[in-house]
Amino acid sequence: MEPVCHVGFSAVQRLAELDLTPTALHKGLAGGSAEARLCTEMDAPGMAGYAFWSRSNRALREHLAREGWTFSNSQSILRCIHPSGAFAITAVSGSGRVGDEDADFSGSVRTKNPKGPAMAKLVQRNHEQLPLFVLAASREQEEPEVNDLPTWFLLYKSSKDGLAFELSLPVEMHGKNVDTWRERIILSENPFIGAEFDIKRLDEVPNVAPVEVPVKFKGAL
Amino acid sequence: MLTASRLVLARKRRRMTLSSLSKESGVSVRSLTAFENGHKAPSPETIDALSEALKLPVDFLTAPDLDEISTDAVSFRALSKMSALDRDAARGAGRIVVEINDWIEERFGLPAPDVPTLPHLSPEEAAERVRALWGLGEAPIPNMIHLLESHGVRVFSLASDCSSVDAFSFRWERTRPFIVLNLQKSGERGRFDAAHELGHLVMHSEHRIPHGVEAEQEAQQFASAFLMPKAGLLAQKLYGADARRILSAKVKWQVAAVALAYRIHDLDLLSDWNYRTTVKLLSQMGYRSGEPGGIARESSQLLGKVFSTLRAESIPVSVMAKDINLTLEELNLHVFGLVPTVFEGGYRSSPPVRPDLRVVGP
């Protein structure tokens, strides 16, 4: 199957097929971002990144729990599991061209930190699974083991421009990094644009990180 | 026909007693009392005289009833030093900004109120909680007014004829937060005042509306903790900072040097002796009365966008003034310093700088 990148309306549609909304992804990332910004130079190096990873997964789980999603921390992979048990999502830091729809499906977008054998196995399973998970069919099956579930990555990457993100289905690793994707979902709406969302620059004086006050004219008087 | 509540509001807004209004308008105190009680209706000529004396259009005095902002609902700075006339004048100004805001809200989609009420927390805890709820982390706040506006607080300018009041805040109808700021001060002081008023809105609400010295101290502590979060200062290694170090460090937080010295002393990062020496030195350098080389005053993004859209849509500001039954001059008093001053047929700049006027399209 040819890899596919969903953008704009198609991205929202594909999310809906996975029973997800842009808000769910935004909530997860906003939770991680707010937590990371609590870190200062007096925290352990890497604390901001760790806090982001943990709290973005937690915020995502808390938001989706109301809709019946469950979770698992098996093998230290923080997964949020669809109510049908058909697939899972994990938020994980990315590097390279995260959020860039023109990036290649292999090599351009990578997980940031080295991954171990558990992740390798998971990605291998994704590769072997059918590209689409038919939710209704899987409901009839026995509940699969959590480490056998196809797992989507909510990749995020902070830079001086803000936070880029995408929800992608990994299918291959090269070396210690997951870097090949069968499907990428990139939302046009990104509320995390701005220097204040770059967690690496916490202790500098922000250049200009303006808060946007939305003001919308309702029409002629 | 004269509306009694509006006559009372106008008189208070103008900081007038019955006797001073009588003197100004030539209408007897006895008649004025009867008009204000609704026991007697004035002739059109008398309404004209009152309108002239109060420098408000006749339409303002004859429009439908207006509810007053209750004294309890308002947090005033230095309440003990204020006369009833000062307080009433400010409350009157507050009521007028509610009218201006209502006009804007009818025509513009604006951020909904999102200011928590935390009457049970200490100032330090409340400041930390608001930072967490608003996702601010431990980082500096680039612009207090924009931050407040993005969380649904409506910020207006304190009319220059109420300057003895400094600043005040209230929740209109118990839910809609307003802050009215004195914009004649330094940029740093303005930011601190805005954070101080946020402290009142957050802590002095619901069942707990204290006034006086205690409430003021709490709001000061809130502002200090909100603008200069403890963890951020600790990370900045400000132990035993001298005046020179404070002048360098304050740039990050955009606060007054003396306010930063106070905060690090409060956090036990500066000994009593060092604090006194530092503040004395800062005072000699002019940092007590002002803020040499300080930041520009903050302005309103929300009002900037509103007035800019009106101009783009060729809607004269006089339409707004007329709808709210105000003179353009009175309208200007409440937005002065936050947006370019509004004049019929055009705009003139008022200090300090024009805000970034980007319009979100309809």
Side-chain angles (χ1 to χ4, degrees), chain B residues 123-141:
Chain B
E124 188 83 33
E125 290 168 333
E128 276 179 22
R129 188 72 66 86
V130 177
R131 273 186 160 268
L133 288 169
W134 288 359
L136 302 172
E138 308 289 352
I141 293 165

Side-chain angles (χ1 to χ4, degrees), chain B residues 23-92:
Chain B
K23 205 168 153 191
E24 197 69 33
S25 64
V27 180
S28 72
V29 170
R30 197 171 163 173
S31 295
L32 287 174
T33 310
F35 300 155
E36 288 195 357
N37 292 338
H39 294 156
K40 199 171 139 187
S43 66
E45 294 73 30
T46 308
I47 296 178
D48 283 344
L50 291 171
S51 152
E52 199 169 317
L54 291 163
K55 297 189 176 61
L56 283 166
V58 167
D59 288 345
F60 182 90
L61 297 173
T62 55
D65 257 322
L66 279 183
D67 297 332
E68 268 194 283
I69 300 173
S70 74
T71 314
D72 269 354
V74 188
S75 295
F76 285 115
R77 310 281 302 272
L79 186 71
S80 53
K81 287 187 233 155
M82 286 170 63
S83 69
L85 278 180
D86 289 333
R87 198 181 57 217
D88 289 345
R91 278 198 303 135

Side-chain angles (χ1 to χ4, degrees), chain A residues 33-34 37-42 202-206 208-221, chain B residues 105-111 135 137-138 142 146 149-150 231 234-235 252 301 305 309 313 315 358 360-362:
Chain A
S33 172
R37 275 177 285 153
L38 287 171
C39 298
T40 75
E41 280 177 354
M42 288 201 172
L202 284 174
D203 298 309
E204 291 175 22
V205 181
V208 183
V211 173
E212 185 64 24
V213 183
V215 173
K216 194 170 179 183
F217 187 45
K218 292 177 183 169
L221 299 185
Chain B
E105 278 194 24
E106 265 178 42
R107 291 151 184 90
F108 291 85
L110 306 179
E138 308 289 352
H146 296 180
E149 290 181 330
S150 70
L234 290 173
K252 175 171 181 176
Q301 193 180 133
K305 285 178 177 176
T309 305
E313 296 287 326
I315 299 166
R358 276 180 304 140
V360 175

Side-chain angles (χ1 to χ4, degrees), chain B residues 171-176 206-207:
Chain B
R171 282 185 193 260
W172 178 242
E173 292 169 338
R174 300 172 69 90
T175 54
R176 297 156 62 197
E206 296 178 12
H207 61 279

